[in-house]
Amino acid sequence: MGYVKHKYGTKKVGFSGTLDPFATGCLIVATGQYTKLFQYLKKTPKKYKATLWLGANSPSLDIEQIDSIKDIKPFELSKIEDTLSSLKGTLTYYPPKYSAKKVNGKRAYELARDGKDVELKKITSTIYDINLINYNHPFVHFEAEVSEGTYIRSLGAIIADKLQIDATLSSLHRIYEGEFFFEDEKALNPFEHLKIPTNSYFGDDEYLELGKKLYIDYFEQKDDGVYLVETTNFYSIIEIKDNIISYKLNRLAKYKG
């Protein structure tokens, strides 16, 4: 984030979908007021390409903290394929102890690095698809399309448990997040990638831009929901509920490239 702040001359920078330190690939980064739009972006599902190193053990479930390596006999290809296939669908599991999850206000990885016990609650993810790319013993290369918040390191640990061996991820690459792909820091208009519908406001722009009270009669769409509304100079995100209008975000400057 320091690199982005310096390059683009901005003080406020945020990112969506944390990438592990050893990982590469797509990361959505926003500056200034656009950091408020992450929750409204079309950024699911996510797809990853990963390599699982059979026989390697690491408390962080990745290549950064490998503490032992054992020789593992090669598996039949069908065994690897069946194990991966068994993960499709809804999966409930523990996130890695070395993760950004918070425990009593502190990041889990901070506690783990201090040698403290980390008790995390189970989470549920959806594995939409998972496929073997190549098995070149002791390395299993696979791709997985998953729901937001899925830990691929945990998938690697589950695969290892099913094979009854030690194993850890040695590489991880995020191919995409929803509509977003890695394209050499390509600048995008965030308002073209929102998952919420648009609505038309027929009243005075000034009422909307100044955050004044709004009335349902001045909107084209009157159904309950969250909408993007455009004025001459700004965008706003409003919510309609029981014919009452409330602001979610207001006076978002139009993207100028």
Side-chain angles (χ1 to χ4, degrees):
M1 294 304 99
Y3 161 79
V4 175
K5 287 180 182 179
H6 177 74
K7 180 172 181 177
Y8 295 97
T10 183
K11 294 181 179 180
K12 188 174 183 180
V13 176
F15 61 93
S16 171
T18 305
L19 271 175
D20 293 324
F22 79 110
T24 61
C26 176
L27 181 67
I28 306 171
V29 177
T31 61
Q33 63 182 342
Y34 299 123
T35 57
K36 301 174 183 178
L37 291 173
F38 284 131
Q39 61 182 308
Y40 302 110
L41 293 175
K42 297 176 182 176
K43 52 188 178 71
T44 57
K46 301 184 180 185
K47 188 171 186 178
Y48 295 86
K49 180 169 61 175
T51 299
L52 185 65
W53 184 357
L54 307 184
N57 184 72
S58 169
S60 60
L61 307 182
D62 60 36
I63 201 169
E64 294 201 325
Q65 296 194 37
I66 290 178
D67 56 18
S68 67
I69 301 173
K70 299 177 181 177
D71 287 330
I72 302 294
K73 292 182 179 179
F75 289 91
E76 293 290 337
L77 183 62
S78 60
K79 177 66 173 178
I80 301 294
E81 292 174 331
D82 291 345
T83 300
L84 293 179
S85 181
S86 70
L87 299 180
K88 289 182 182 179
T90 301
L91 196 64
T92 300
Y93 58 95
Y94 288 103
K97 292 184 178 181
Y98 286 82
S99 69
K101 285 280 187 183
K102 284 192 174 181
V103 179
N104 296 325
K106 294 200 69 174
R107 299 292 184 184
Y109 65 79
E110 295 175 342
L111 297 172
R113 287 172 180 170
D114 291 340
K116 298 179 180 178
D117 290 333
V118 180
E119 294 185 9
L120 295 171
K121 296 180 180 179
K122 285 187 175 182
I123 61 174
T124 299
S125 298
T126 301
I127 314 303
Y128 299 110
D129 201 11
I130 184 167
N131 295 292
L132 179 67
I133 300 173
N134 183 44
Y135 174 37
N136 183 18
H137 191 73
F139 299 105
V140 176
H141 308 277
F142 66 94
E143 286 184 344
E145 186 179 63
V146 300
S147 60
E148 191 166 14
T150 301
Y151 288 90
I152 307 301
R153 283 180 293 144
S154 290
L155 285 189
I158 294 170
I159 294 168
D161 287 343
K162 286 179 174 288
L163 295 174
Q164 297 183 324
I165 59 168
D166 289 336
T168 192
L169 288 193
S170 60
S171 72
L172 180 62
H173 178 82
R174 184 187 288 149
I175 301 172
Y176 59 72
E177 288 189 74
E179 293 187 350
F180 299 87
F181 293 77
F182 175 74
E183 297 182 83
D184 295 322
E185 293 184 41
K186 181 179 179 180
L188 300 171
N189 180 350
F191 299 106
E192 295 178 354
H193 299 276
L194 301 184
K195 61 185 177 183
I196 57 176
T198 59
N199 204 338
S200 296
Y201 176 66
F202 303 120
D204 188 333
D205 279 2
E206 185 176 277
Y207 273 74
L208 190 59
E209 293 176 357
L210 294 180
K212 294 184 178 181
K213 186 175 181 179
L214 303 173
Y215 297 93
I216 192 69
D217 292 342
Y218 292 93
F219 286 89
E220 180 180 17
Q221 303 292 332
K222 297 177 174 57
D223 295 335
D224 286 1
V226 177
Y227 298 93
L228 177 72
V229 183
E230 180 180 3
T231 63
T232 303
N233 301 305
F234 298 97
Y235 283 106
S236 295
I237 294 179
I238 58 100
E239 182 177 20
I240 298 176
K241 188 172 183 180
D242 298 328
N243 290 334
I244 303 299
I245 314 297
S246 61
Y247 293 92
K248 305 293 284 185
L249 296 172
N250 198 26
R251 290 179 63 86
L252 294 167
K254 291 188 175 180
Y255 178 76
K256 297 179 181 179

